């Protein structure tokens, strides 16, 4: 995947108001209940009208510099299709606090937090007057004992879709009980859960997560937003499978997702994972590991983020080299060959003419040796400066480490696969190795990122994958290269394909000639994952073996990253290992 700063929110969010006709300033305000203003659709039929309404404040919050009151009708209309709450934008909240009964007057607007995002019905700007204190409405329970969320469709003609479900709760107080974490806490204080211990969810995996499968992107997931002063994210650095007995707050929408802004949460209960043993090598086997090491470089850098916030990128000081080395040695069993993705040049994101990555690779090889592993050599064919995408200045590429005592390179058999479809994308690197008296070729790929695709909960339905056609062309280019290899020699294709196992690019590569098996498919569907995006476990990293060797192959995914909070991850991808029994 592309580097985290872009993927997570590099662009400054701009608030867009729906374009409205000019309204007569003298127009009298219409008195309406909040459910009447919200209506049953995705947008209010009163947009542009000045309204008066009344409700109780359930939350006061700053959102991108604005003060937002979440105001809920004290009675509601008993219609599950209409929300009983609304967001109210005020210039100054004064001493307004949760529990205050307020009269609100202002213009109804639909506000979106970015392009292709859904809008939030709001009264903005608003005049707010206090009218005493009342008891907060009881929260709607999501799942058993309340409203069960849909489990398959994000959007569609039926009202039983993710968008319809969360729209009907917009701004309202809700509670989730026995919440299981399906997406670990990220650096924005976000995590994802399903309620009722996942009993009503589909696609739950053995780690307590929920896996994306064909036609099911799991709308039962609920994004939880943790923020001070309500619930401190530092106290909820949770991994997949951890449980929160109760979490409550209000439903909002931001950056392409509905979210529960948590106002209180019970103490979490940690999950315990089963242990996984490595696939050991030996004289009868060849082991090939694959690891996307997420923009690894040895240079300490200061990265500028939005709003002039600075972030230090220090892979050595943060222990990433050391911990990735320990993964390779202790978890993966020091494979004979390691295919690496997202290796950066020697000065990382510095804008310079440097493209060499020998210091990066040497630093990793040294860390592996210091962790008790073998002495690896490396293979790197540097790209042209700033031509292969990724973090600006980083010159991201794929590379290899290998144990010379087990595998030796063959002169003239290190090839970068070139094709127009790889413009601004990492070129695959194919290397043929001699293992004893036999030859095997390993192809290391990192196809175009899914970055820039439409959000699941957005205005474009179904969401568009902006690079799927490009990745299909990249699959054809790799396939054309594979046809040039000797048919009797085994071939392993590994890496970050940025493609789910059921999507077209992998079908192209495995469905033609020469024949290949995607070893990912040997796992049960719910267990096919190496990445977690917005609470969905996904398979982006794969291992393909030529049909002449697939019967002698086995593989394993090691979940050392995707299950854990972002602050604890050494990468956003999990590594894999293929073990191939050598023919006698």
């Amino acid at each position: 995947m592309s580097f985290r700063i872009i993927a997570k929110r590099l662009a400054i969010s701009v608030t867009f108001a729906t374009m409205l006709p000019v309204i007569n300033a003298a127009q009298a305000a219409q008195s309406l209940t909040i459910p009447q203003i919200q209506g049953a659709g995705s947008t209010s039929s009163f947009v542009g009208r000045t309204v008066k309404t009344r409700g109780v404040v359930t939350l006061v919050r700053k959102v991108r510099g604005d003060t937002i009151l979440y105001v809920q009708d004290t009675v509601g209309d008993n219609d599950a299709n209409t929300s009983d709450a609304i967001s109210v934008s005020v210039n100054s909240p004064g001493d307004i606090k949760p529990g205050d009964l307020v009269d609100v007057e202002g213009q109804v607007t639909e506000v979106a937090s970015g392009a292709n995002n859904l809008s939030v019905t709001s009264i903005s700007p608003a005049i707010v007057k206090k009218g005493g204190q009342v008891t907060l409405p009881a929260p709607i329970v999501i799942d058993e004992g309340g409203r069960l969320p849909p489990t398959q469709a994000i959007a569609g003609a039926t009202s039983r879709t993710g968008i319809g479900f969360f729209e009907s709760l917009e701004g309202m107080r809700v509670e989730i009980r026995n919440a299981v974490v399906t997406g670990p806490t990220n650096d924005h204080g976000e995590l994802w859960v399903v309620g009722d211990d996942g009993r009503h969810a589909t696609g739950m995996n053995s780690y307590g997560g929920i896996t994306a499968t064909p036609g099911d992107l799991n709308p039962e997931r609920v994004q939880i937003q943790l923020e001070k002063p309500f619930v401190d994210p530092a106290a909820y650095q949770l991994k997949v499978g951890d449980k929160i007995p109760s979490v409550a707050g209000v439903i909002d929408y931001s950056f392409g997702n509905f979210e529960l802004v948590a106002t209180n949460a019970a103490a979490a209960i940690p999950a315990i994972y089963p242990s996984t043993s490595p696939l050991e090598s030996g004289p009868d086997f060849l082991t090939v590991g694959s690891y996307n090491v997420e923009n690894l470089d040895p240079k300490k850098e200061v990265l500028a983020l939005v709003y002039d916030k600075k972030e230090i990128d220090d892979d050595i000081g943060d222990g990433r080299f050391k911990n990735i080395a320990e993964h390779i040695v202790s978890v993966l069993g020091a494979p004979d060959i390691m295919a690496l993705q997202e290796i950066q040049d020697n000065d990382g994101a510095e804008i310079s003419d440097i493209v060499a990555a020998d210091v990066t690779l040497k630093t990793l090889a040294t860390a592996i040796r210091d962790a008790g592993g073998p002495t690896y050599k490396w293979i790197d064919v540097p790209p042209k400066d700033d031509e292969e995408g990724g973090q600006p200045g980083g010159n991201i590429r794929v590379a290899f480490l290998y144990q010379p005592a087990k595998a030796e390179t063959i002169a003239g058999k290190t090839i970068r696969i070139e094709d127009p479809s790889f413009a601004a994308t990492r070129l695959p690197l194919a290397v043929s190795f001699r293992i004893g008296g036999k030859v095997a070729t390993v192809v290391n790929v990192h196809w175009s990122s899914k970055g820039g695709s439409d959000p699941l909960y957005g205005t474009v339905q179904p969401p568009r994958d902006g690079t799927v056609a490009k990745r299909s062309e990249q699959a054809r280019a790799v396939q054309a290269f594979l046809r040039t290899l000797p048919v009797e020699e085994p071939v392993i294709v590994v890496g970050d394909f940025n493609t789910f196992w059921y999507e077209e690019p992998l079908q192209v590569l495995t469905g033609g000639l020469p024949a290949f098996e995607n070893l990912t498919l040997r796992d049960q569907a719910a267990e096919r994952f190496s990445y977690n995006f917005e609470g969905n476990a996904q398979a982006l990293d794969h291992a393909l073996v030529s049909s002449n060797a697939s019967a002698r192959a086995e593989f394993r995914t090691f979940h050392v990253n995707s299950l854990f909070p972002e602050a604890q991850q050494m990468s956003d991808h999990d590594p894999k290992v293929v073990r191939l029994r050598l023919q006698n």
Side-chain angles (χ1 to χ4, degrees):
M1 195 71 174
S2 59
F3 60 101
R4 190 172 287 161
I5 298 165
I6 283 183
K8 294 296 183 186
R9 296 178 185 173
L10 177 60
I12 297 175
S13 175
V14 180
T15 298
F16 300 95
T18 303
M19 296 301 294
L20 304 174
V22 176
I23 303 298
N24 186 343
Q27 180 188 50
Q30 184 175 1
S31 293
L32 297 168
T33 66
I34 292 173
Q36 287 174 327
I37 296 169
Q38 283 281 10
S42 59
T43 59
S44 172
S45 60
F46 296 95
V47 168
R49 300 292 299 273
T50 301
V51 298
K52 291 181 179 179
T53 195
R54 170 174 282 199
V56 57
V57 175
T58 61
L59 179 63
V60 181
R61 181 181 177 227
K62 284 280 189 181
V63 179
R64 292 181 289 279
D66 298 328
T67 299
I68 304 297
L69 312 180
Y70 297 83
V71 180
Q72 185 164 334
D73 193 279
T74 56
V75 178
D77 65 352
N78 293 316
D79 184 351
N81 294 312
T82 61
S83 170
D84 295 339
I86 197 166
S87 65
V88 175
S89 178
V90 294
N91 292 327
S92 175
D95 61 351
I96 292 176
K97 59 188 178 300
D100 285 341
L101 186 67
V102 293
D103 291 301
V104 178
E105 181 175 350
Q107 190 176 72
V108 178
T109 62
E110 291 287 340
V111 180
S113 56
N116 297 337
N117 283 187
L118 298 176
S119 62
V120 174
T121 303
S122 178
I123 299 176
S124 175
I127 299 171
V128 179
K129 295 181 180 179
K130 291 172 59 174
Q133 278 264 316
V134 296
T135 303
L136 293 179
I140 297 293
V141 175
I142 294 181
D143 279 318
E144 197 169 289
R147 299 186 192 176
L148 283 172
T151 60
Q152 285 193 316
I154 299 290
T158 173
S159 61
R160 288 295 297 163
T161 64
I163 289 178
F165 179 80
F166 288 109
E167 280 277 7
S168 73
L169 295 170
E170 184 179 274
M172 293 181 66
R173 297 188 74 221
V174 301
E175 179 187 9
I176 303 174
R177 298 171 182 170
N178 298 314
V180 181
V181 175
T182 68
T185 310
N186 66 22
D187 289 346
H188 304 289
E190 300 163 344
L191 57 87
W192 285 259
V193 304
V194 294
D196 285 334
D197 293 316
R199 286 193 300 271
H200 304 291
T202 60
M204 297 294 287
N205 60 52
S206 61
Y207 290 84
I210 193 167
T211 307
T213 52
D216 186 3
L217 293 175
N218 302 314
E220 61 266 50
R221 295 169 298 115
V222 183
Q223 178 178 314
I224 308 297
Q225 177 66 59
L226 307 172
E227 59 187 47
K228 294 180 179 179
F230 313 116
V231 179
D232 188 354
Y236 288 86
Q237 292 295 305
L238 303 183
K239 65 184 184 299
V240 170
D242 289 350
K243 297 182 181 180
I244 311 174
S246 173
V247 57
V250 300
I251 294 293
D252 200 0
Y253 177 94
S254 182
F255 292 104
N257 272 302
F258 289 96
E259 60 184 10
L260 189 161
V261 181
T263 55
N264 55 79
I269 302 169
I272 299 175
Y273 298 148
S275 59
T276 304
S277 59
L279 288 171
E280 300 289 352
S281 188
D284 296 331
F285 296 98
L286 172 68
T287 52
V288 178
S290 177
Y291 201 158
N292 180 324
V293 292
E294 196 184 9
N295 296 307
L296 191 67
D297 72 82
K299 181 71 180 293
K300 182 176 181 179
E301 304 146 295
V302 178
L303 304 177
L305 300 181
V306 295
Y307 306 123
D308 294 327
K309 181 182 176 182
K310 301 291 185 181
E311 181 174 288
I312 303 298
D313 180 7
D314 183 7
D315 291 342
I316 292 179
D318 291 341
R320 293 191 64 226
F321 279 92
K322 177 178 181 293
N323 286 293
I324 288 172
E326 290 177 352
H327 287 168
I328 291 172
V329 175
S330 301
V331 180
L332 308 188
D336 302 319
I337 299 167
M338 278 298 307
L340 304 171
Q341 302 88 46
E342 297 205 19
I343 289 291
Q344 289 196 339
D345 63 29
N346 294 334
D347 66 354
E350 296 289 333
I351 305 300
S352 71
D353 295 331
I354 292 175
V355 294
D358 56 315
V359 177
T360 305
L361 291 162
K362 181 179 180 180
T363 303
L364 179 58
T366 300
I368 291 170
R369 187 186 62 212
D370 292 345
T375 299
Y376 281 105
K377 287 188 175 181
W378 59 85
I379 303 169
D380 174 38
V381 181
K384 294 181 180 178
D385 193 21
D386 297 326
E387 287 196 4
E388 299 198 4
Q391 190 173 15
N395 287 308
I396 196 173
R397 85 286 306 274
V398 300
F400 285 97
L401 299 178
Y402 69 100
Q403 296 189 43
K406 181 66 175 288
E408 58 180 322
T409 59
I410 301 173
K413 295 294 185 177
T414 296
I415 299 169
R416 298 187 89 208
I417 302 173
E418 299 189 20
D419 186 82
S421 63
F422 289 107
T425 304
R426 289 69 51 181
L427 291 183
L429 184 60
V431 180
S432 293
F433 294 91
R434 191 178 306 280
I435 306 99
K438 304 172 182 64
V439 174
T441 298
V442 183
V443 181
N444 186 358
V445 306
H446 187 184
W447 290 351
S448 293
S449 166
K450 286 178 175 282
S453 299
D454 294 319
L456 292 183
Y457 290 92
T459 57
V460 179
Q461 295 295 336
R464 295 167 300 193
D465 182 335
T467 57
V468 65
K470 187 174 183 180
R471 294 197 307 277
S472 292
E473 290 304 310
Q474 292 165 4
R476 292 185 181 94
V478 171
Q479 188 178 63
F481 169 79
L482 296 175
R483 290 182 182 135
T484 68
L485 299 176
V487 295
E488 70 278 5
E489 294 175 0
V491 180
I492 300 173
V493 185
V494 292
D496 177 1
F497 293 75
N498 276 316
T499 296
F500 304 153
W501 54 268
Y502 51 85
E503 291 183 309
E504 180 186 71
L506 273 170
Q507 304 305 314
V508 167
L509 191 52
T510 59
L513 293 175
F516 275 77
E517 179 190 355
N518 185 355
L519 300 180
T520 299
L521 302 187
R522 293 187 182 181
D523 284 336
Q524 295 296 314
E527 306 303 321
R528 298 170 189 168
F529 67 94
S530 60
Y531 190 81
N532 194 298
F533 183 69
E534 296 180 350
N536 262 328
Q538 304 173 344
L540 295 182
D541 308 84
H542 302 274
L544 281 58
V545 176
S546 55
S547 59
N548 61 7
S550 63
R552 296 182 279 117
E554 54 189 315
F555 93 111
R556 192 166 295 160
T557 301
F558 297 87
H559 301 299
V560 295
N561 292 312
S562 71
L563 301 173
F564 296 93
E566 185 174 344
Q568 298 174 19
Q569 293 177 0
M570 294 303 107
S571 168
D572 48 357
H573 290 252
D574 291 326
K576 290 179 179 287
V577 173
V578 176
R579 181 166 70 175
L580 184 66
R581 181 178 289 278
L582 300 171
Q583 290 178 318
N584 295 325

